[in-house]
Amino acid sequence: MERKTFFTDVIVPLGVPNKYTYRVPQELNDSVKIGQRVLVQFGKSKIYTGIIYNIHETAPKGYEAKYIESILDDHPVVTPLQLKFWDWISFYYCANPGDVMNAALPSGLKLSSTSHIQLNGDFSFEEVSHNHFTEREHMILDALHAAPNLSFDDVQALLNLKSFQPVINNLLKKNAIVVYEEVKDKFKPKLVSFVKLNEAYKEEKKLSSALDQLEKKAFKQAEALLYFLHLEKTNTSKTENWIRKSELTRKVEAAAVSALVKKNILSEQEFEVGRLLFEKSNSVNKTLSELQLKAYAQVKTEFENNKTVLLHGVTGSGKTEIYIQLIKDTLAKGKEILFLIPEIALTTQLITRLGAVFGEQVGVYHSRFSENERVEIWNNVLSQKTEGESRAENQEPGTKNSKYRIILGARSSLFLPFHNLGLIIVDEEHDNSFKQHDPSPRYNARDSALYLASLHGANVLLGSATPSLESNYNAQQGKFARVGLPAQFVTGGGTDVEVCDVNFFEQSNQMKTCLTPPLFEAVENALKNKEQVILFQNRRGFAPYTECKKCGHVPQCVQCDVSLIYHKHQERLVCHYCGYSVPPPKTCAACGSNQLHFKGLGTEKIEEDIEILFPAAKIARMDLDSTRSKYAYKQLIDDFENGQIDILIGTQMVTKGLDFNNVSVVGILNADSILNFPDFRSFEKAYQLLTQVRGRAGRSDKRGKVFIQTTQTKHIVIDHVIENTLDDFYTSILEERQQYNYPPYSRLFELSVVSKDLNEVNHLSQELLQLLKPHFGNNILGPEFPLVAKIKNQYYKQLLIKTTKQESAISIRTKIHTAIDDLHNNYKKWNFKVQIDVDPV
């Protein structure tokens, strides 16, 4: 019988517009499946991991198909529904299939010639026999023990093999190595300090003697030891009398505990713990209020009518409790849940709350996890295809050792291989962090979630205290169902707002560094009452720029059109766009003067000023610089929750959905920077941000106070924030949007011409305008330079196309792609690119 010749269309992880067709070797005909990873050659010598998109018998036209090098998987790692979702992302956001693949797959699943490998810090080589690894695998492992990492070129040279990737893939399956697109730190498991009583002091007489001595000479240590004994007595977990050090230091001083360890009264040891440790028995089942029950019933009714629901609940109204009830309902049907959040910082509190109810069924997926952790989650979700149905029938929600049925994650978790998705919750749906800006695909996770839900037949719940204007409009038009939670869960809470005129207090010399007198007094009173304070400043670093007093020169980044920001902690001037940094100059580069001074306020400077104003207070800072490590968010939030921090200073991270009961004062230190941003969405964003910051106070049964420091005390946005009149405010904005044809009355396509040559950018952007005008006429704005026109030595110039919602999506994209292709054909020798951003925010 004649054997068939098969071809596969493969998605390669490169910015090429088409899938590439490869020939299947005869011996692999029975093994090849859609969704498998394959090793393919692209170009003269580079080997990449591709995904099989399609299998057929048609040879490509125009080029000879190369053979697949090898198949990496026995079973597909990408599902048919995922491939359909990738197609939609690629089409809607004008992205290449390879760009979507790069965004979707963890790097640990992508083996390429540009990858690196290193030993897995989790793997114990002592526990496996010598025969566990082949001779070639041993060669790689020996080399990795001698060097911290190897590139794929290094491995190829070491083994002297063309197709060396299967050897690497076997080592990955054995969990002996990890792979990275670029070299990162080795995976470090989560370590937690525990303490227990030394064996010598378990004798009652010796323990009593030690306590007597401590009470006479070191009372705080005696207090710490007594509290430890109390915790040991009430400890119900099977931990051989080990007590978490953090649990002990909630009530006693850390220094006292350390002293007990030094005296060998207590032993201290670090243990590796899982990322998600929950005790379901500790959960507190909150009874829903009457308003919550009503909202919950409405949401369920709308779900039955297949409606997307916008849950508009004021800050502190208890939206999370409704989410939990809906998750329980979905689990009972044997389906999966995706819980999307805009900021990694939010996972800390949500993990605790969801984990207390659902135990180890909660999985977390975001960019702060190492690649091997992300692959672990991916494979865990993927494996539920074969086991999900039987487990759903026989297992109660929250049962230990169950696989992840609830995924809590940032926007990238949309791409996980779900099989039976029943509910997608998009919390803080208004947040711009759901939008991917760079690299392509520039997708919006909130909007993409709607399409993903349609593929699975899942329900979607969008939650926010300040819904986006587009979602609010969709609810008004009947596209979404709107359900309201108009009051806080706890009675007696809420906030009062006071607007502080910075001009008045500066002119009368009453400012206390960065604080107006009313805010200073409120912070002072809060500290006296053992209450907590949040201060919000939307700029990190110490000072936004350094200025020469003589000539006014400001040091600029050599690669970007921005001033360098002074970071005192690093003692560097840093560019926040490209990372370029230099030591602070001693003299002006322009005139030679040594009279340089730092201008403006960043979170570092505010932290320093607050430490001077309130020396007895415990102060912490929450921004990108202070939360770079994996567990930094959790540590800060835990410390603040446990009362170990009195004043928390932060950027937008402190505004997003965090729940602290003891915060009585919130200060917005510079509202002008939010109000004056040149963007048609600036008023909407300012209202959302100010309202969210306001919602961090008054979440218990005491009223909180919010202070807005500004020079524009009568600004319309501030008036609406004080009155809490979202609907009236949005109505006025909608009138302006309709008048000037902006979303939600139109769709926007932002085209950026990018090149290292300024003259080329100017010329090409004008040429692109001429190519687009026959199709879009006067509905094109630009070309114009953006606020920052040069980033990483690349110049940007933008055109903005407005289209009506009635126009064909295919037609619009065809016209745009045709114009860009014509531009590339007309200027083949010019080195440039055109980026497309659909629905820019």
Side-chain angles (χ1 to χ4, degrees):
M1 189 175 84
E2 186 182 347
R3 298 194 71 179
K4 292 182 178 179
T5 299
F6 287 112
F7 296 88
T8 63
D9 297 332
V10 175
I11 303 171
V12 290
L14 299 168
V16 290
N18 299 321
K19 287 100 179 172
Y20 208 71
T21 303
Y22 289 87
R23 188 171 177 175
V24 181
Q26 290 284 344
E27 65 271 17
L28 297 179
N29 276 359
D30 297 333
S31 306
V32 70
K33 301 182 186 75
I34 290 173
Q36 283 175 319
R37 292 179 303 153
V38 288
L39 290 173
V40 293
Q41 183 179 339
F42 194 89
K44 290 183 179 179
S45 59
K46 296 288 186 184
I47 301 289
Y48 294 95
T49 300
I51 297 291
I52 296 176
Y53 178 83
N54 191 21
I55 303 169
H56 53 83
E57 297 178 44
T58 308
K61 295 178 181 177
Y63 64 91
E64 185 179 347
K66 297 174 183 175
Y67 278 99
I68 287 172
E69 297 284 334
S70 65
I71 298 173
L72 291 177
D73 308 297
D74 295 330
H75 304 285
V77 297
V78 177
T79 69
L81 277 181
Q82 278 181 290
L83 291 173
K84 200 169 181 181
F85 183 54
W86 290 12
D87 280 343
W88 181 84
I89 292 275
S90 177
F91 164 75
Y92 187 84
Y93 291 103
C94 302
N96 294 314
D99 293 333
V100 180
M101 174 186 164
N102 274 328
L105 282 183
S107 293
L109 291 177
K110 293 178 286 186
L111 307 180
S112 75
S113 302
T114 57
S115 297
H116 293 75
I117 59 170
Q118 54 194 41
L119 293 173
N120 184 359
D122 261 355
F123 189 82
S124 177
F125 289 92
E126 294 80 11
E127 294 178 10
V128 295
S129 67
H130 186 80
N131 297 332
H132 187 69
F133 300 109
T134 66
E135 185 180 343
R136 284 173 175 160
E137 289 167 6
H138 270 297
M139 288 173 68
I140 294 174
L141 294 173
D142 289 344
L144 284 172
H145 277 105
N149 58 75
L150 295 174
S151 70
F152 272 28
D153 290 338
D154 295 333
V155 177
Q156 186 173 24
L158 178 71
L159 300 181
N160 196 23
L161 281 175
K162 182 183 177 184
S163 297
F164 59 91
Q165 286 86 354
V167 184
I168 289 175
N169 195 52
N170 286 336
L171 284 171
L172 282 169
K173 286 180 178 177
K174 292 173 182 178
N175 208 28
I177 63 168
V178 290
V179 62
Y180 295 114
E181 290 303 299
E182 55 184 3
V183 179
K184 300 179 183 177
D185 293 333
K186 291 183 181 179
F187 166 60
K188 293 178 183 177
K190 184 178 178 181
L191 297 174
V192 173
S193 289
F194 286 78
V195 291
K196 76 171 182 177
L197 194 65
N198 255 325
E199 289 295 326
Y201 290 91
K202 288 189 176 178
E203 188 184 327
E204 195 172 335
K205 283 183 181 179
K206 192 162 185 181
L207 181 60
S208 299
S209 174
L211 274 169
D212 289 340
Q213 291 293 320
L214 291 173
E215 283 175 349
K216 291 172 186 175
K217 297 179 180 179
F219 180 74
K220 288 189 179 295
Q221 293 173 35
E223 192 178 47
L225 184 54
L226 284 167
Y227 186 59
F228 168 83
L229 294 169
H230 165 72
L231 290 176
E232 187 184 48
K233 191 176 180 181
T234 56
N235 181 26
T236 55
S237 61
K238 297 175 182 177
T239 54
E240 297 179 1
N241 296 321
W242 288 101
I243 302 293
R244 282 192 187 224
K245 189 176 178 181
S246 59
E247 192 176 353
L248 188 57
T249 54
R250 286 178 189 175
K251 298 284 186 182
V252 299
E253 290 185 6
V257 178
S258 298
L260 291 173
V261 172
K262 280 183 182 177
K263 291 176 178 176
N264 289 322
I265 297 172
L266 295 181
S267 298
E268 181 175 1
Q269 193 171 332
E270 285 187 328
F271 290 98
E272 180 185 336
V273 298
R275 289 185 294 282
L276 301 173
L277 288 179
F278 306 120
E279 291 294 332
K280 190 183 173 187
S281 58
N282 294 337
S283 66
V284 177
N285 290 319
K286 293 184 180 177
T287 305
L288 296 185
S289 68
E290 192 176 328
L291 279 175
Q292 286 174 320
L293 284 168
K294 183 180 176 184
Y296 168 60
Q298 284 180 282
V299 171
K300 288 187 71 174
T301 301
E302 297 299 345
F303 279 174
E304 288 168 7
N305 297 328
N306 296 317
K307 280 273 194 179
T308 295
V309 177
L310 174 62
L311 179 61
H312 176 205
V314 299
T315 53
S317 58
K319 293 185 288 294
T320 306
E321 298 307 318
I322 293 176
Y323 298 159
I324 287 170
Q325 294 301 319
L326 294 167
I327 290 171
K328 285 180 178 178
D329 295 343
T330 309
L331 285 175
K333 297 173 185 174
K335 292 180 178 286
E336 301 160 307
I337 297 94
L338 173 59
F339 196 131
L340 284 173
I341 51 173
E343 193 73 61
I344 296 168
L346 289 182
T347 58
T348 299
Q349 286 192 322
L350 279 170
I351 288 167
T352 304
R353 293 177 72 176
L354 295 179
V357 181
F358 302 107
E360 292 180 358
Q361 289 193 112
V362 183
V364 184
Y365 191 82
H366 58 62
S367 60
R368 287 290 169 94
F369 279 170
S370 66
E371 289 303 332
N372 50 320
E373 288 176 294
R374 297 178 81 187
V375 171
E376 178 191 324
I377 298 283
W378 181 284
N379 289 335
N380 199 307
V381 175
L382 183 68
S383 69
Q384 297 193 41
K385 180 180 183 181
T386 55
E387 301 174 29
E389 290 79 4
S390 59
R391 184 172 53 255
E393 291 171 9
N394 302 320
Q395 195 166 338
E396 288 296 317
T399 305
K400 282 202 165 190
N401 301 320
S402 63
K403 293 198 174 182
Y404 303 137
R405 308 292 291 163
I406 306 158
I407 294 296
L408 175 65
R411 57 178 181 257
S412 59
S413 54
L414 273 175
F415 294 108
L416 284 167
F418 297 105
H419 296 283
N420 195 17
L421 200 56
L423 174 65
I424 301 178
I425 297 169
V426 186
D427 196 23
E428 309 295 344
E429 66 85 27
H430 66 278
D431 199 291
N432 291 330
S433 299
F434 282 123
K435 173 73 172 177
Q436 163 86 0
H437 294 287
D438 256 328
S440 176
R442 296 171 178 85
Y443 66 99
N444 189 310
R446 177 199 63 202
D447 300 341
S448 303
L450 299 177
Y451 182 76
L452 181 64
S454 71
L455 291 178
H456 287 269
N459 295 312
V460 180
L461 182 68
L462 309 176
S464 179
T466 52
S468 65
L469 195 69
E470 284 86 348
S471 294
N472 207 57
Y473 179 76
N474 283 334
Q476 287 177 1
Q477 298 300 305
K479 187 176 179 181
F480 297 165
R482 180 170 170 171
V483 175
L485 269 175
Q488 281 193 303
F489 178 77
V490 179
T491 54
T495 53
D496 300 314
V497 180
E498 183 172 339
V499 181
C500 305
D501 189 343
V502 173
N503 276 339
F504 171 78
F505 291 115
E506 281 183 345
Q507 288 166 10
S508 58
N509 291 321
Q510 295 184 60
M511 291 291 291
K512 305 278 190 181
T513 63
C514 57
L515 305 184
T516 53
L519 178 53
F520 176 82
E521 189 180 332
V523 173
E524 220 172 21
N525 290 333
L527 294 175
K528 284 178 187 173
N529 296 328
K530 304 292 183 187
E531 294 165 344
Q532 292 170 300
V533 177
I534 291 177
L535 299 178
F536 168 69
Q537 171 71 346
N538 205 21
R539 186 180 288 276
R540 64 189 174 95
F542 188 88
Y545 60 99
T546 309
E547 185 181 69
C548 173
K549 282 187 177 179
K550 289 286 185 184
C551 70
H553 172 74
V554 175
Q556 300 283 311
C557 176
V558 296
Q559 300 180 122
C560 309
D561 271 348
V562 291
S563 59
L564 294 172
I565 294 170
Y566 177 53
H567 285 250
K568 190 172 183 179
H569 211 61
Q570 304 170 30
E571 198 55 34
R572 307 282 291 180
L573 297 181
V574 181
C575 173
H576 285 181
Y577 283 84
C578 71
Y580 169 80
S581 70
V582 292
K586 292 184 169 64
T587 58
C588 175
C591 71
S593 168
N594 60 4
Q595 295 186 41
L596 303 174
H597 64 138
F598 302 118
K599 299 290 289 276
L601 290 172
T603 49
E604 279 186 25
K605 174 74 167 91
I606 292 163
E607 183 181 25
E608 186 177 274
D609 289 346
I610 297 301
E611 283 173 349
I612 295 168
L613 290 173
F614 305 102
K618 291 171 280 186
I619 298 160
R621 175 167 50 89
M622 189 177 185
D623 56 24
L624 184 62
D625 299 313
S626 66
T627 57
R628 290 190 187 276
S629 67
K630 180 175 167 183
Y631 299 111
Y633 287 121
K634 178 169 174 51
Q635 189 62 55
L636 271 172
I637 290 169
D638 284 351
D639 287 349
F640 197 63
E641 266 188 318
N642 297 330
Q644 294 176 20
I645 297 170
D646 299 317
I647 302 173
L648 182 62
I649 300 157
T651 55
Q652 285 193 40
M653 291 181 184
V654 302
T655 71
K656 299 180 181 181
L658 297 173
D659 188 3
F660 302 116
N661 290 330
N662 197 35
V663 175
S664 64
V665 174
V666 168
I668 299 163
L669 301 184
N670 183 12
D672 294 351
S673 64
I674 307 164
L675 298 168
N676 297 335
F677 196 77
D679 177 71
F680 76 91
R681 285 193 173 93
S682 63
F683 280 15
E684 177 192 355
K685 291 177 182 176
Y687 179 88
Q688 290 165 347
L689 191 54
L690 292 174
T691 303
Q692 290 289 338
V693 178
R694 174 184 179 174
R696 296 318 106 208
R699 296 178 77 90
S700 63
D701 54 0
K702 294 182 193 173
R703 286 193 73 77
K705 192 77 181 277
V706 179
F707 294 83
I708 301 175
Q709 295 188 167
T710 179
T711 60
Q712 305 171 70
T713 56
K714 301 298 181 185
H715 198 286
I716 183 173
V717 173
I718 292 175
D719 286 343
H720 281 289
V721 169
I722 293 169
E723 298 298 326
N724 204 18
T725 49
L726 180 139
D727 289 336
D728 292 344
F729 177 57
Y730 277 10
T731 299
S732 65
I733 294 180
L734 277 172
E735 291 171 3
E736 288 182 8
R737 298 272 183 96
Q738 189 170 24
Q739 183 179 352
Y740 296 103
N741 194 29
Y742 278 105
Y745 299 101
S746 65
R747 292 200 184 281
L748 299 183
F749 292 76
E750 185 180 85
L751 275 56
S752 299
V753 180
V754 186
S755 172
K756 289 187 174 183
D757 189 309
L758 179 60
N759 293 325
E760 280 189 15
V761 164
N762 283 324
H763 180 78
L764 291 167
S765 57
Q766 286 294 336
E767 288 293 304
L768 183 58
L769 174 65
Q770 297 310 314
L771 290 167
L772 290 166
K773 264 200 166 180
H775 305 295
F776 300 103
N778 294 325
N779 290 321
I780 308 175
L781 299 179
E784 293 289 345
F785 288 111
L787 278 177
V788 181
K790 180 186 171 191
I791 300 173
K792 297 180 182 177
N793 285 325
Q794 299 265 20
Y795 291 95
Y796 291 73
K797 206 163 189 181
Q798 296 174 337
L799 297 101
L800 190 69
I801 303 171
K802 298 178 185 177
T803 67
T804 65
K805 290 193 170 183
Q806 287 70 43
E807 288 182 70
S808 161
I810 296 174
S811 172
I812 293 166
R813 285 159 177 78
T814 301
K815 291 169 184 175
I816 290 172
H817 284 302
T818 301
I820 293 171
D821 289 343
D822 288 346
L823 187 68
H824 278 287
N825 286 328
N826 295 343
Y827 295 90
K828 289 180 180 177
K829 294 184 178 180
W830 291 30
N831 189 15
F832 71 96
K833 60 185 176 183
V834 180
Q835 295 177 349
I836 306 172
D837 191 357
V838 181
D839 302 334
V841 297

